Amino acid sequence: MTDPDYIDLFTLTTQDASHRSPEQWARAAFDDVAGLRGQLTWRVLLGLRLKGRGSSADHVAGWQIIDRGDRTIVLKAHSWMLTGGLAVRVDDGQVSLATFVRYDRPIATRVWSLLSAVHRRAVPGLLRDAYRIQRRPTPRR
């Protein structure tokens, strides 16, 4: 994203972070953990135009995948007032989530200033819960 007005970065330290791909981390965090609450926040409060109701090869929780690599996945979504970006990076011993917001209309400053406080409290738990979900044993069929 060019010229973001807001950036934050959260990192979870864990020895087995790299046992999962950035895309697996993103799907666990945004599909599984954020779930319906995330969808309501993104679609209703922020007005993001997300694709579909779930994930696909080109989307994570409706967010468009704009870049993916061995260590990073980058997601993007637009609303009538702002553009949002999420980047998940996996390194040895840690996984990081960065949020980028660009204010496309003046009201976005006020809206995001209120929601960003909730966002900053929620993201550490989002990463911890995504870690827990991925550590669960896979059921045998």
Side-chain angles (χ1 to χ4, degrees):
M1 176 185 305
T2 57
D3 300 323
D5 296 294
Y6 173 93
I7 300 172
D8 65 30
L9 176 69
F10 292 87
T11 299
L12 174 73
T13 303
T14 173
Q15 291 303 318
D16 53 354
S18 60
H19 292 173
R20 300 282 191 265
S21 71
E23 188 166 338
Q24 288 171 310
W25 277 100
R27 292 186 189 282
F30 307 129
D31 281 332
D32 300 334
V33 178
L36 181 59
R37 188 176 341 172
Q39 290 293 317
L40 289 171
T41 300
W42 301 324
R43 291 176 189 268
V44 177
L45 298 178
L46 294 175
L48 293 173
R49 295 182 292 271
L50 302 178
K51 306 290 182 181
R53 296 205 178 268
S55 291
S56 72
D58 298 324
H59 301 91
V60 173
W63 291 73
Q64 180 184 8
I65 298 171
I66 61 168
D67 190 27
R68 70 162 54 97
D70 292 339
R71 294 198 176 264
T72 307
I73 188 168
V74 181
L75 312 174
K76 190 174 186 180
H78 301 276
S79 80
W80 64 273
M81 66 175 158
L82 58 80
T83 301
L86 301 167
V88 176
R89 179 170 176 90
V90 177
D91 291 301
D92 293 334
Q94 64 184 29
V95 60
S96 299
L97 170 60
T99 303
F100 304 88
V101 178
R102 184 181 64 225
Y103 307 140
D104 298 328
R105 302 270 189 281
I107 192 169
T109 306
R110 287 177 279 182
V111 170
W112 184 247
S113 69
L114 295 171
L115 290 178
S116 67
V118 175
H119 166 81
R120 287 189 300 273
R121 282 192 307 272
V123 171
L126 181 90
L127 288 172
R128 283 190 303 270
D129 290 347
Y131 173 73
R132 285 188 201 110
I133 285 170
Q134 294 183 95
R135 290 194 40 100
R136 290 183 191 153
T138 305
R140 294 185 182 186
R141 297 180 193 248

